[in-house]
Amino acid sequence: MDMSVDFAGLKLKNPILTASGTFGFGLEFKRFGNLESLGGIIVKGLSLKPREGNPMPRIAETPCGMLNAIGIQNPGVEVFLKDRLPKLPWKTLPVLVNLYATDATEFGELAKVLSTEEGVAALEVNVSCPNVKEGGIAFGQDPSQITKVAEAVKKNAGNKPVIIKLSPNVTDIATCARAAEDGGADGISLINTLSGMAVDIERRAPRLTNVIGGLSGPAVKPVALRCVFQAVNAVKIPVIGLGGISSAEDAAEFLLVGAAAVQIGTANFLSPDTAFKIAEELPKVLERVNAKSLDEFRGSLKLPK
Amino acid sequence: MSANNCRAVKVIDVKPLGHSSPDEEIIELKLEYPGWRSGWRVGQFVMIRPVSWPLDLIWGRPFSICNADDNTLTILFQVVGRGTKRLAELTTGDKVNIWGPLGSFFSKPKDRPILMLAGGMGIAPFCGYVDSHDQPENLKLFFAHRPPLENYPLNSISEKVEVEDLRETKPEDILNIIARIDELVKEYADKKGLIVACGPTPFLRTVRSASIKYGVEAELSLENRMACGVGACLGCVTKDSTGHHTQVCTTGPVFKATDISLED
Ligand SMILES: Cc1cc2nc3c(=O)[nH]c(=O)nc-3n(C[C@H](O)[C@H](O)[C@H](O)COP(=O)(O)OP(=O)(O)OC[C@H]3O[C@@H](n4cnc5c(N)ncnc54)[C@H](O)[C@@H]3O)c2cc1C
Ligand SMILES: Cc1cc2nc3c(=O)[nH]c(=O)nc-3n(C[C@H](O)[C@H](O)[C@H](O)COP(=O)(O)O)c2cc1C
Ligand code: FES
């Protein structure tokens, strides 16, 4: 079955991408599978300047998921472009860069730096991190800010597709999706993590130094699926679905509600070959459920009358 | 596809050691050797996640490679929580996903006195260290532990090298352990030796300060909590000597004492 996807002009071999922050810079996974068998990879969130991130401990395992408060630790965009990107097979593997900044202007600057980089296929804009004080979740909860950031990035991104990554921690996801579309985004991705918390009754203390973190993994899948469903029906631009996908069947569920592509996040920790396996198995799953093609299957959810 | 760096292998044997009580059980887990073409080095670790684990346990669990040959990979672990409890329930023939060998390793210089300092399960990598060292007569092990000595697989070590141990049964014992580490580290500084250490963070902190105080070269293996084990999630970081966060799973787990800070 032909699995290729045209996402806002971006050609993907298949709809399987890896989620930012769960796949490093891709290089870490080279010894566990063929990177070029994926639709693309989305690298760890990058900022203009390097960031140390939050103090330890910053991860905790929770039922069917995990909490993280990494706080966008990253080496900065320059180091990425100089040391990491050249080592990736970017000519045959779409490398999408995830952006983090504290305001619309800074997002614009970051986009400008990346706009002329041949090896960067598209920009994914993180306006939804629950683990940082500035430019994080509060930002992504304000539709007017979402529009402003989308405009700033789009204006500076050259001809690179711009994807706005939304937070599920909002009352109305459809409004946020439309806000991104209004700002000129070429696509949206969702969901980022759900704001959550874990405590230890013996130490009577939070499990994360940051107290609050972002919940991800299979536990969030129903929320993610609902958000994708609502977003798909709210905008015309394509939607990338993610949140708790850990099998090819899970990926198919997101495609069924209308996602153009999907991302594999926390499941990369179940074992480092998870994304490769899902990319391999997805065509078999679609055949099993009698899909004629990816296009025929996508969005073919039958709703109750 | 994933070559042999991530594979499902069979459990050969799961053996509780000594007469450990359920709350301090120590288990020797023997697995099929995953056939790593590049081999492995002492101090490296693996991530293990049984195929049967449902999604309520997300992460694999990191364990030092205790020993390995062409057929068998041996892991030694203590039951401390949900994951290790379920690992202890594995039986012969069960399949586990295993990825590795991961991380950095201990150096094994020849013709130099080497002091191995192990705290609790920190003993695990030293089984392989002793077995793979050409001159075991240059090695000595100091072992601080809580469960009784017979719960650890010390036979293979004590046959070849001098072993000294101190058991912690009450809080005051910790002071004796700290004092003894200090003395030993000083002794190895005088001998221009090397110290290799593995154990809980407070134990490593003691080793680190003593080694810096006496100016002796020391390598420490850290046991931070890990999600991916491959450098991707940034959940396992420690502070290096310049105050920057660095991944324990890929830059470590074995660090030079002077390269990290280990502050609270
Ligand atoms: C590189 C590396 C090598 C390691 N090698 C070994 C080894 O050879 N043998 C071994 O037994 N362990 C080793 N560990 C530690 C081991 O990974 C943990 O004990 C294990 O992950 C705990 O899993 P769990 O699900 O049982 O505990 P969880 O359910 O995750 O935690 C349960 C409780 O146990 C506590 N806990 C977690 N880790 C430890 C620990 N190490 N000691 C005491 N309490 C702990 C937690 O704080 C928590 O309170 C190593 C860790 C690393 C990073
Ligand atoms: C450890 C970790 C780090 C993350 N870092 C980022 C990041 O830098 N930028 C970003 O947009 N999302 C980040 N995320 C969110 C994921 O990309 C994803 O949106 C979320 O985990 C939900 O998907 P999942 O359930 O499949 O993991 C991170 C998630 C985790 C678990
Ligand atoms: S465990 Fe994920 S980066 Fe070290």
Side-chain angles (χ1 to χ4, degrees), chain B residues 30-238:
Chain B
K30 286 193 183 293
L31 302 170
E32 264 178 331
Y33 183 67
W36 299 315
R37 263 176 306 214
S38 54
W40 63 283
R41 311 286 289 268
V42 178
Q44 288 190 302
F45 69 102
V46 290
M47 294 290 284
I48 292 186
R49 192 174 181 281
V51 169
S52 62
W53 275 11
L55 293 170
D56 63 331
L57 289 179
I58 291 290
W59 305 332
R61 295 297 192 266
F63 297 99
S64 299
I65 299 171
C66 182
N67 226 329
D69 58 32
D70 290 349
N71 304 310
T72 320
L73 172 72
T74 307
I75 301 297
L76 195 68
F77 71 88
Q78 182 164 14
V79 176
V80 296
R82 299 190 311 144
T84 44
K85 185 167 186 304
R86 281 200 247 175
L87 284 177
E89 289 160 3
L90 289 170
T91 56
T92 306
D94 284 348
K95 284 202 146 184
V96 301
N97 262 322
I98 175 164
W99 56 103
L102 303 165
S104 62
F105 42 85
F106 288 118
S107 45
K108 265 191 301 180
K110 285 190 180 153
D111 303 320
R112 232 178 123 182
I114 299 173
L115 174 65
M116 300 176 284
L117 294 174
M121 293 316 298
I123 191 74
F126 297 123
C127 302
Y129 198 93
V130 169
D131 276 354
S132 61
H133 201 284
D134 297 337
Q135 296 159 310
E137 63 278 10
N138 285 344
L139 309 180
K140 173 186 166 114
L141 171 74
F142 173 77
F143 182 37
H145 57 101
R146 261 184 225 145
L149 204 55
E150 77 232 33
N151 292 1
Y152 297 92
L154 276 173
N155 289 345
S156 69
I157 297 184
S158 56
E159 273 168 18
K160 293 184 184 164
V161 310
E162 184 193 343
V163 176
E164 177 183 330
D165 83 292
L166 259 178
R167 186 172 172 198
E168 179 198 335
T169 51
K170 49 189 185 312
E172 302 87 89
D173 296 334
I174 294 179
L175 294 175
N176 295 331
I177 292 172
I178 293 175
R180 189 60 189 139
I181 289 176
D182 197 84
E183 280 169 17
L184 284 167
V185 170
K186 181 166 187 316
E187 192 185 307
Y188 276 75
D190 296 341
K191 295 199 238 187
K192 303 227 172 322
L194 169 73
I195 289 165
V196 288
C198 184
T201 308
F203 178 86
L204 296 180
R205 219 173 263 143
T206 305
V207 176
R208 180 178 176 277
S209 9
S211 73
I212 288 171
K213 180 163 81 176
Y214 298 116
V216 50
E217 203 184 322
E219 294 175 355
L220 316 176
S221 177
L222 271 56
E223 297 200 342
N224 288 22
R225 178 145 311 184
M226 294 181 176
C228 69
V230 302
C233 71
L234 301 171
C236 67
V237 297
T238 191

Side-chain angles (χ1 to χ4, degrees), chain A residues 253-271:
Chain A
E253 289 182 21
F254 282 76
L255 297 168
L256 181 62
V257 301
V262 298
Q263 297 177 23
I264 315 303
T266 300
N268 290 310
F269 308 154
L270 291 169
S271 82

